[in-house]
Amino acid sequence: MKYLKVIAFTHKHIELKELGKLVLCQENTADKLHAVKEHFGIDEIFYLSTCNRVEFVLSTQHKVDREFAEAFLTEMQMGLCTHSTATFLDAASIYEGQEAMNHLLRTSCSLESLIVGEKEILAQLRKAYEDCREAGLTGDKLRVTMECVVKTAKEVYTYTNISKNPISVVSLAYRKLKDLKLCGNARILIIGAGETNRNISKYLQKHKFSNFSVFNRTLSKARQLADDLGGRAYELHELKDFKGGFDAIITCTSAVEPILTTEIYTSLLNGDTDKKTIVDLAIPNDTAPEVLEQFDVNFIEVHSLNEIAKKNLQERYHELVHAEAIIEQNISEHLVMLKQRKIELAMRQVPEKIKEIRNNAVNTVFADEVQSLDKESREILEKVINYMEKKYISVPMIMAKDILINNN
C-alpha cells in the first residue's frame, strides 16, 4: 500500500469553474497518461474526472510531493499558465499509503462528494479505472486496490442510510428545472449522451416530457438515447444548423472548450426572444460566459447547487460515523490481505523447489533403493512422499502468514 499515491483537485479547495481547466480532452487522455507514465517511470496510473473533482491515482515508488505534482502537471501539457499552475498546486491534496487508500474509499462512498449519499461516484470511479485498465495503464496493484474500493462502497450503501432517499447533482438540477414549470411539450435539446444526461433524461421522461433532440459526437450513442426518449438524434456538428427551436437545453459533455458559444446560441434561437433555460452540468461548463452576459437565461449549473448540497450533508451527518467505521474495517482487512499476498508472492517458488528435491531424492539420491522396492512398498513410499510434500508446502506458508500478521 505504501506505493499508492493520489494527487487530488476537488471542490473542497477549488471553485468548480476553475476545476474545469484540469479536465483532459477525452480523445487523447490515454496518450497523455501513457506519456507521463513512461516519463516518470510510474508503474500504474488512472485518471478520474467528475463534476467536482479531478484526480490522478498512481502506484509508484516516487516521492509524490508538491515538486513532483508540479512536474507532473507540466508534463501532462494541460495548457496552464505559471500562475494557474501554482494556484492549483496550492489547492491540491496529496495522499500516499494508507491515507491514499482512505481517501479513495471515502470518495467511492460519496463522503468526499459535493452531494453526500449520491451513488454516481462509484460508477464514475469504476469506469475511470476500467478505461485506464483497457488502455494498459494499470496492473495488479491498482486492481487489488479497486476490489477493496468497490467492496467498501457497496457495504456503505447497503449497511448505512447514507443514500436513503438518495439525491444527486442530477436530481438537484432536475428539482430546480421542475420549479421553472416547463410545459409538457417543451422542446428540449440534449447535448451529450453520457451517463449524466442519460440520468436526467429519466427524470424528464418520468414527468411526461416528450419533445427531445439529442446531439452527440458519436451518432450511435445519440440514437440510443433518442430512441429511449422517442426523440431525434443528430451529430454534434449539426447543432450550429439546427432550426427546430427550443425551450430548454440540457448539456453535459467532456469538451474542454464551450459548446454553446454566442454564435451557436444565436443560431439556435433563430429570432426567438422568449427566455430560455440551460441546465449545464459539465465541468468545465459547456456554456460560454458571453451567452449568459448577452441573453436572458435561466441558468442551472453544478456550482449553483452548493447550498442544497450543504443542507443534504447536515441531514446525513449522523450516517458518516457508520460509514467511516466500515471504511476503517475494510482498510484493516485490506492490510492483512496485502501481507498475505506478500508472503504468497515471496513463497510462490516453494512448491517448485520441494518438487525438485523430491524428484532428486527419488530419481538420483535414493534411486537404487527405490528401484529395489517391490510394487506395494513403492506405492506406500509414494503416498508418504506425497503427504510430506503437501505439508512441506502448506505448513511453512501458514506459519509465515501467522508470524507476519501477528508481529505487525
Side-chain angles (χ1 to χ4, degrees):
M1 193 186 291
K2 65 180 180 180
Y3 296 143
L4 182 64
K5 317 286 172 69
V6 178
I7 304 173
F9 306 91
T10 76
H11 66 98
K12 292 188 174 183
H13 305 293
I14 301 171
E15 286 289 331
L16 292 175
K17 292 180 179 180
E18 291 299 306
L19 195 59
K21 295 178 181 178
L22 293 171
V23 175
L24 298 177
C25 179
Q26 196 170 19
E27 283 76 10
N28 61 2
T29 296
D31 291 339
K32 284 191 172 185
L33 291 174
H34 273 294
V36 80
K37 181 173 182 279
E38 182 178 353
H39 180 82
F40 291 103
I42 296 169
D43 298 325
E44 304 176 35
I45 184 172
F46 79 86
Y47 158 79
L48 171 67
S49 172
T50 74
C51 62
N52 49 52
R53 70 185 62 255
V54 170
E55 302 195 13
F56 298 92
V57 182
L58 321 173
S59 177
T60 179
Q61 298 181 43
H62 283 289
K63 180 181 179 181
V64 176
D65 52 15
R66 192 183 192 282
E67 183 179 352
F68 177 91
E70 182 175 9
F72 184 90
L73 288 184
T74 301
E75 188 64 25
M76 286 298 295
Q77 299 179 12
M78 291 181 159
L80 302 173
C81 66
T82 303
H83 176 72
S84 291
T85 299
T87 301
F88 282 124
L89 289 171
D90 290 340
S93 298
I94 298 176
Y95 307 92
E96 63 176 85
Q98 192 165 326
E99 284 189 356
M101 191 67 183
N102 183 60
H103 169 74
L104 287 177
L105 297 187
R106 288 178 60 85
T107 298
S108 72
C109 302
S110 82
L111 303 193
E112 299 292 327
S113 294
L114 179 66
I115 309 295
V116 174
E118 56 93 5
K119 292 185 177 181
E120 283 86 350
I121 181 60
L122 178 58
Q124 293 167 333
L125 190 53
R126 293 177 75 171
K127 186 178 187 306
Y129 166 74
E130 287 297 330
D131 287 346
C132 288
R133 183 188 64 79
E134 291 173 6
L137 291 160
T138 68
D140 193 57
K141 289 179 180 176
L142 289 184
R143 177 188 64 78
V144 171
T145 297
M146 282 302 298
E147 286 177 355
C148 181
V149 165
V150 173
K151 174 180 177 290
T152 304
K154 287 182 176 179
E155 289 180 5
V156 168
Y157 292 131
T158 301
Y159 300 116
T160 77
N161 288 323
I162 201 164
S163 59
K164 185 178 180 181
N165 300 320
I167 62 173
S168 63
V169 168
V170 169
S171 63
L172 290 180
Y174 181 73
R175 288 183 192 183
K176 296 193 73 171
L177 178 63
K178 188 180 177 183
D179 289 342
L180 296 174
K181 301 187 184 307
L182 291 177
C183 61
N185 64 346
R187 299 162 296 174
I188 300 175
L189 307 187
I190 298 178
I191 304 174
E195 183 179 3
T196 298
N197 277 355
R198 289 198 302 271
N199 287 338
I200 200 168
S201 295
K202 292 176 184 176
Y203 285 97
L204 293 165
Q205 195 173 31
K206 180 179 178 181
H207 290 87
K208 309 304 181 184
F209 289 95
S210 59
N211 192 344
F212 299 98
S213 298
V214 182
F215 297 82
N216 194 62
R217 293 187 191 280
T218 307
L219 183 59
S220 60
K221 291 184 179 180
R223 281 176 176 158
Q224 185 177 359
L225 180 54
D227 288 345
D228 290 341
L229 296 170
R232 298 167 298 280
Y234 303 88
E235 290 188 17
L236 185 58
H237 69 81
E238 297 181 81
L239 184 65
K240 65 180 185 301
D241 300 314
F242 183 76
K243 301 300 180 185
F246 73 98
D247 298 295
I249 295 175
I250 297 172
T251 182
C252 184
T253 74
S254 59
V256 294
E257 296 293 335
I259 299 291
L260 286 174
T261 61
T262 53
E263 180 183 0
I264 288 179
Y265 191 78
T266 301
S267 176
L268 289 172
L269 286 173
N270 196 26
D272 191 344
T273 57
D274 290 344
K275 187 173 184 178
K276 306 298 182 182
T277 296
I278 299 176
V279 180
D280 189 338
L281 301 182
I283 298 291
N285 281 349
D286 286 331
T287 309
E290 294 79 14
V291 170
L292 306 179
E293 294 169 2
Q294 297 179 28
F295 300 94
D296 189 14
V297 175
N298 294 313
F299 189 60
I300 301 170
E301 59 172 339
V302 175
H303 181 72
S304 66
L305 306 175
N306 271 329
E307 289 306 313
I308 306 176
K310 289 177 183 176
K311 182 181 178 183
N312 168 66
L313 177 59
Q314 292 172 354
E315 292 173 351
R316 297 168 194 268
Y317 187 80
H318 62 285
E319 291 299 322
L320 299 184
V321 177
H322 303 306
E324 287 169 351
I326 292 174
I327 289 172
E328 186 176 347
Q329 177 64 28
N330 272 276
I331 289 178
S332 297
E333 292 174 0
H334 189 65
L335 286 170
V336 171
M337 186 275 294
L338 289 178
K339 291 173 183 177
Q340 291 175 335
R341 280 177 58 83
K342 187 176 180 181
I343 288 292
E344 289 168 359
L345 292 173
M347 299 187 71
R348 61 187 172 185
Q349 292 184 340
V350 169
E352 294 178 9
K353 293 297 182 182
I354 289 177
K355 287 183 184 297
E356 287 178 12
I357 294 171
R358 168 202 169 123
N359 291 333
N360 188 50
V362 172
N363 300 320
T364 304
V365 179
F366 301 106
D368 294 339
E369 290 87 339
V370 172
Q371 289 301 319
S372 68
L373 297 173
D374 58 43
K375 181 180 179 182
E376 184 178 347
S377 298
R378 282 202 300 271
E379 288 177 353
I380 293 173
L381 177 63
E382 186 73 17
K383 289 180 180 179
V384 171
I385 292 175
N386 286 341
Y387 176 80
M388 296 296 291
E389 180 182 336
K390 290 178 182 178
K391 292 300 180 182
Y392 276 119
I393 291 173
S394 62
V395 172
M397 189 82 73
I398 293 170
M399 292 179 65
K401 287 181 180 179
D402 289 341
I403 291 170
L404 183 62
I405 293 168
N406 293 332
N407 288 348
N408 284 274

